[in-house]
Amino acid sequence: MFQERFPVFRVAALCLGLLTVASSAGADATVFAGALASGGMRSTIGASGGVFPRELFGIGGFELEYARARNNDTIIETFGVNLLFQSTVFARRLQVYGSMGAGVYGETTADGFGGSGEVGSGNFGGGMKIHLAGPLRLRLDYRLYVLGHAGDASTGFVLHKHPQRSFVGFAVAF
């Protein structure tokens, strides 16, 4: 599985590097928890970091994201690069956004039966950021994943083609 190639500390370092590279940009970092629906509900945790260049008036940008979902017998990990298009802040409280991106979707069964593997993925979604206080935002998000080739009967690696994820998170803007 790709946790050996993309351990959490490397993803966190990559997100931090992304946020520090663009000096003329707004940025945010989010930690989240939610649920992934893929042949059953799985609890999910993750983190993302985004940059919104001032040249795009802060309404367009991109983010890196890592998430891990688990139930008793399956672990699903996602890593993605997403384009975000967000509104200006409405009434000083609410910001709506849409996103689309590409990445890697990996699934491993804990018992070794049923196979494991990774596929390329695309995702589409959106959500909102709600200003709480200072730089703190509440973030609500929905994503629909579109998976690449999900293996065949000989490997036993079978994925649901369109998993969905919803989460609630806290974002810090800087």
Side-chain angles (χ1 to χ4, degrees), residues 147-169:
L147 304 181
H149 178 65
D152 58 38
S154 66
T155 65
F157 178 55
V158 179
L159 292 173
H160 297 86
K161 292 295 269 183
H162 302 291
Q164 301 175 56
R165 185 187 73 205
S166 298
F167 73 71
V168 175

Side-chain angles (χ1 to χ4, degrees), residues 74-124:
T74 306
I75 297 171
I76 296 174
E77 292 180 291
T78 61
F79 177 76
V81 178
N82 303 310
L83 294 173
L84 263 66
F85 300 97
Q86 60 189 14
S87 69
T88 56
V89 178
F90 296 122
R92 305 174 84 177
R93 288 269 184 234
L94 179 66
Q95 193 168 32
V96 179
Y97 65 89
S99 71
M100 60 187 214
V104 178
Y105 182 100
E107 183 173 327
T108 302
T109 58
D111 60 9
F113 298 107
S116 64
E118 302 164 6
V119 295
S121 68
N123 70 74
F124 304 91

